[in-house]
Amino acid sequence: MPHAPQRIFTGGPILTMDPAAPEAEALAVRDGTVVALGSARDVLPLRDSGTDVVDLEGRTLMPGFVEAHGHPTIMGLAIAPPAVDVRPFTVPTGREVYDTVRAAVASAPGRPVGAYGIDLLLQRDLDPPHRATLDEISPHAPLVLVSNSGHAAYGNTAALHAAGITAATPDPPGARFVRDAQGEPTGEAHESAAVIALMNTVADDRLDDHHVQAALRWAFSRHARAGITTVTEMAAEPRLLPALRAAAEHPDSEVRVRAYVMGTPDLAADPDRRFAGHAPARAMFGVSGMKLWADGTPWQGSIATSFPFKDNDATLRIGLDHCAHGSMNYSADELAALTLAFSAQGFPVACHVHGDVTFEAVLDAYGKAAADDPERLRTLRPRLEHCGAVTADQYRRAARLGATVSLFMDHVRWWGDVLADDLFGPEVADRWMAARSAVDAGHRVSLHNDGICSPTDPLSSVATAITRRSHTSGRVHGPAERLTVEEALRAVTVNPAWQLHLENEIGMLRAGMRADLVVLTADPRVVGPDSFRGEVAVAAAYLGGRPTWS
């Protein structure tokens, strides 16, 4: 039959995420797009002898997941084998962290070693990695430990020397090197530019194109296993953009990539820089905007809040030293200047923000960018990333400005008890990642895993959004902020596709859209919230109708 589908799916519920036709019995794919969907009686006669008919055997088909805020580059470089992965999800105790690091140094004598993922709040017996401790483990070669949040790094003396960091070294914009009373660097670095300066001392020999390509392919495969068909690289280093593009455009790439470039003052000051526009979904790579870090992370005490951090052993461990409030990475004027510059260049801006005080400063910056042409800012769809301590009133103000939000729901799953017991108190934990407030304010909320800061798993985000249950204790933090299953599924499909300006091509199943698909072991609509995590899993993934994992 001329123009017969290459593949037809039937034999299980098909959730389209299309309000006009939410469910179908069969779906046909040709040349990477959906060509028909509806009843099996209407779709199956389109096949010919060359059509692959996939029997779902009662499993559920839906649009492939869109990771709104990922970091496949750092994921590949930091934890792909043979990298040293010491995240609390894989190495739960401090003793095991140092045993793992010592073994890595011993196995590579004289070579730089980096370890990713320490967490002073989840690995409670972990001694903070002081410079002297790291010098004892590796006296001659650079050794760097990076926090699981990615907002702090700790280096030995050799790493400081290799990076050229001295008492005279100025702090990079939006970041800092921690110094002792005499002004000497302690080996601790906070925020992106300072962390990268230390990380490069153990990664530069692995940043050749061959190694980066291999690391990215490994990271892409991990996303496909989680049912992800489009991933956002939310902190693309300009020098690694060519490698990222090449990996995404490889004929066998498992995911489509959209990148937000790290927004530096130098890029903001470039008079010739202009946004090239959003690439269509058939393009496997595209640049979507610029990324800024307005503040840091609660796990390092580096967010600006109107309410205090507790003064206790936990906050002393993360460096607050009896200080009740964290700070922003930029002044309000600096933040506004960067936002205005990138918006004038035509770039959508995505701003990392947790604290409610910081959030207000970001909204002020977006407001200034919208002052001359409010509709233009709405067209850009500026983003607010993570949004831990944001209030309902702030969500409403953000919606009025035309900004859009993406929430890191796994904060509640992995650190909900930490928020309630160690850092702030139950009332703050109850409104952390206030998804219901955001939806009720009118936002097309997306949910994300933030690269390697939690295991890459959109279904975990969905499960946490509908239960708000802590992995550690089983406690529920903020039941009033739960989403419905339908809302949570939209937050990992339709909504992030809209945030990436791809809503007419992905995130939904409709004739003419890309055939990005995920097969689930059970229908998520009929599984109880408390059994969701155990019963719903990814069975297969397809990118443009091409199988990427099963």
Side-chain angles (χ1 to χ4, degrees):
M1 181 186 297
H3 308 300
Q6 292 151 335
R7 184 167 281 118
I8 291 177
F9 297 84
T10 191
I14 299 174
L15 310 185
T16 68
M17 308 310 295
D18 180 357
E23 189 168 347
E25 292 179 337
L27 178 145
V29 178
R30 184 177 64 242
D31 298 331
T33 64
V34 176
V35 293
L37 74 165
S39 69
R41 181 182 58 206
D42 292 335
V43 175
L44 283 172
L46 302 176
R47 70 188 185 274
D48 68 7
S49 59
T51 301
D52 176 22
V53 178
V54 178
D55 184 357
L56 294 170
E57 299 179 334
R59 297 174 298 181
T60 298
L61 186 73
M62 64 177 293
F65 298 134
V66 180
E67 174 53 83
H69 182 125
H71 297 283
T73 306
I74 192 68
M75 181 178 183
L77 293 174
I79 67 171
V84 184
D85 179 3
V86 291
R87 295 176 299 162
F89 325 113
T90 53
V91 181
T93 70
R95 178 185 59 79
E96 291 173 288
V97 167
Y98 279 118
D99 286 349
T100 302
V101 171
R102 290 179 189 277
V105 170
S107 68
R111 298 277 295 165
V113 170
Y116 189 96
I118 63 169
D119 191 310
L120 295 171
L121 294 168
L122 293 184
Q123 295 159 328
R124 299 305 286 258
D125 65 324
L126 177 65
D127 291 331
H130 297 297
R131 178 175 171 180
T133 303
L134 302 183
D135 284 347
E136 181 269 323
I137 296 173
S138 180
H140 305 298
L143 172 61
V144 176
L145 274 58
V146 182
S147 70
N148 183 58
S149 69
H151 287 266
Y154 307 84
N156 66 350
T157 299
L160 290 173
H161 288 168
I165 299 168
T166 69
T169 302
D171 288 337
R176 69 187 180 98
F177 300 110
V178 178
R179 304 169 194 273
D180 62 21
Q182 288 71 46
E184 294 293 332
T186 66
E188 186 173 350
H190 287 188
E191 300 309 321
S192 177
V195 170
I196 288 173
L198 279 182
M199 288 179 64
N200 283 344
T201 68
V202 297
D204 269 345
D205 64 337
R206 297 188 293 119
L207 292 182
D208 62 277
D209 187 68
H210 174 75
H211 182 91
V212 174
Q213 291 282 322
L216 284 166
R217 295 300 303 279
W218 180 89
F220 291 172
S221 72
R222 313 322 279 183
H223 285 79
R225 288 170 178 261
I228 295 167
T229 50
T230 297
V231 58
T232 309
E233 170 54 82
M234 193 46 90
E237 279 196 71
R239 65 172 172 160
L240 295 181
L241 278 174
L244 184 61
R245 176 188 288 274
E249 292 178 346
H250 189 280
D252 296 328
S253 178
E254 293 98 333
V255 293
R256 178 186 300 104
V257 176
R258 292 297 180 264
Y260 280 72
V261 179
M262 297 170 64
T264 65
D266 287 344
L267 294 181
D270 183 349
D272 298 323
R273 184 170 296 278
R274 291 291 181 271
F275 181 52
H278 293 283
R282 66 177 179 273
M284 293 296 288
F285 177 83
V287 171
S288 293
M290 289 286 178
K291 166 74 179 294
L292 299 174
W293 285 262
D295 62 6
T297 172
W299 324 138
Q300 303 292 152
S302 54
I303 65 172
T305 55
S306 61
F307 47 86
F309 281 84
K310 291 185 174 184
D311 187 357
N312 56 27
D313 289 343
T315 54
L316 287 173
R317 277 174 61 77
I318 62 175
L320 277 171
D321 195 17
H322 306 293
C323 177
H325 295 277
S327 60
M328 293 169 50
N329 291 341
Y330 296 97
S331 71
D333 288 343
E334 289 171 334
L335 192 61
L338 288 170
T339 300
L340 283 166
F342 289 129
S343 297
Q345 293 172 354
F347 286 95
V349 173
C351 206
H352 168 117
V353 53
H354 271 303
D356 58 334
V357 170
T358 315
F359 196 88
E360 202 67 24
V362 176
L363 292 182
D364 288 344
Y366 285 170
K368 290 178 180 178
D372 294 334
D373 189 351
E375 195 53 41
R376 182 171 175 275
L377 189 76
R378 289 182 176 277
T379 302
L380 292 177
R381 300 176 190 172
R383 293 176 50 161
L384 297 136
E385 308 297 302
H386 308 325
C387 307
V390 178
T391 68
D393 284 344
Q394 289 178 319
Y395 280 127
R396 287 189 284 269
R397 184 186 172 199
R400 289 194 298 270
L401 283 169
T404 179
V405 301
S406 188
L407 306 186
F408 188 2
M409 210 66 238
D410 263 1
H411 263 212
V412 176
R413 179 186 181 193
W414 294 103
W415 293 273
D417 296 345
V418 168
L419 291 164
D421 300 337
D422 298 322
L423 298 188
F424 299 118
E427 68 286 348
V428 172
D430 283 352
R431 62 181 178 86
W432 200 262
M433 302 296 164
R436 167 55 52 204
S437 294
V439 169
D440 289 349
H443 287 284
R444 304 188 198 194
V445 173
S446 67
L447 305 177
H448 63 259
N449 293 116
D450 198 17
I452 50 183
C453 297
S454 70
T456 298
D457 181 5
L459 289 175
S460 173
S461 300
V462 171
T464 305
I466 64 178
T467 65
R468 294 191 62 94
R469 190 174 296 282
S470 163
H471 171 81
T472 307
S473 67
R475 290 156 58 189
V476 172
H477 297 285
E481 294 295 344
R482 289 169 173 157
L483 298 183
T484 67
V485 171
E486 171 73 16
E487 289 168 333
L489 291 174
R490 292 184 68 81
V492 294
T493 53
V494 177
N495 294 354
W498 177 85
Q499 291 176 337
L500 292 172
H501 298 254
L502 293 171
E503 69 271 20
N504 295 320
E505 300 178 90
I506 66 170
M508 183 186 296
L509 301 180
R510 180 187 287 172
M513 299 186 77
R514 301 299 296 175
D516 295 350
L517 310 166
V518 61
V519 180
L520 303 180
T521 55
D523 186 338
R525 302 169 302 174
V526 301
V527 173
D530 289 330
S531 57
F532 185 99
R533 200 181 303 277
E535 294 188 33
V536 183
V538 172
Y542 296 79
L543 178 64
R546 169 173 58 88
T548 56
W549 186 80
S550 68

